[in-house]
Amino acid sequence: MKVLLIGPAGSGKSLLTRSLGEWLRRGGYSVALVNLDPACGYLPYKPDFDIRSFYDIRKIMRKEKLGPNAAVIRVHELLSNNLEKILPELKIERDFILIDTSGQMELFVFRETGPKIVEALKDAVGIFLVDATLMNPIDLVTLKLMAQVVRLRLNVPVVPVITKVDLVPEINFANSAQLTREIRKQKGSVVDLALALNKSLDGFDIPVRVIKISSKTCEGFGELLSTLYETYCECGDLT
Ligand SMILES: Nc1nc2c(ncn2[C@@H]2O[C@H](COP(=O)(O)OP(=O)(O)O)[C@@H](O)[C@H]2O)c(=O)[nH]1
Ligand SMILES: [Mg+2]
């Protein structure tokens, strides 16, 4: 199974790549770790495939007189134009291939190249990560919605995940009925919108269940794994 890790900068994609990889290996699975973030200075894991070994972002910035974001977009363009050459390198036969994406998710999700790369990868599943320290009930609706936005953009099933729950153990509104109750306690003009969105998100073909995890303690990894399998199977015809 190919798992794309997507989320805002600092949400914990790279650490999850490492700790989920280690956890799966301890469970007897074979795992490959893939870095698709050309701009990362440091990675907390040793990648089996690293986009940085194909494209040097600093050289591209200097040569093409680009800023850091434009250079990441350029690398994605170069990658998507050379997929046939580069993808054989990515044909890694493992039970799980964990793919760490760009530090800034919009460069991957909202440009035209991210969807092209994901299509070429074939039958991937996404994890959309949000940091628990930034979470209130209305943000949770945003998380669920964003997971579906990523699904629409990349055309893959996406599991919404709250990470860093070791820092905020008291988040107790992951389940939809609890969430509706908690949203009703909030104030402001967005409450009705949040309620309506939450209700419509629950009516989807794939249930939008939110998983709570910690990459420090591995809490929630079992549930994440079973949800990934479930999502992958329910989306069925992914070949
Ligand atoms: N306490 C805690 N810290 C985390 C967790 N996941 C990531 N972090 C920290 O959050 C920061 C950003 O994580 P990183 O994986 O680099 O985020 P990325 O930009 O999405 O790749 C780092 O300091 C990580 O150590 C977690 O589950 N718990
Ligand atoms: Mg990262």
Side-chain angles (χ1 to χ4, degrees), residues 17 28-29 38 52-53 72 106 115 117 131 142 183 204:
T17 305
Y29 295 104
R52 295 174 303 174
S53 54
V72 170
E106 67 274 24
I117 295 165
D131 188 323
T142 311
I183 297 171
F204 276 4

Side-chain angles (χ1 to χ4, degrees), residues 9 32 100 111 143 159 180 189 199 234:
D100 188 9
R111 307 286 307 184
L143 164 62
V159 177
T180 303
S189 57
K199 195 169 167 206
E234 276 173 15

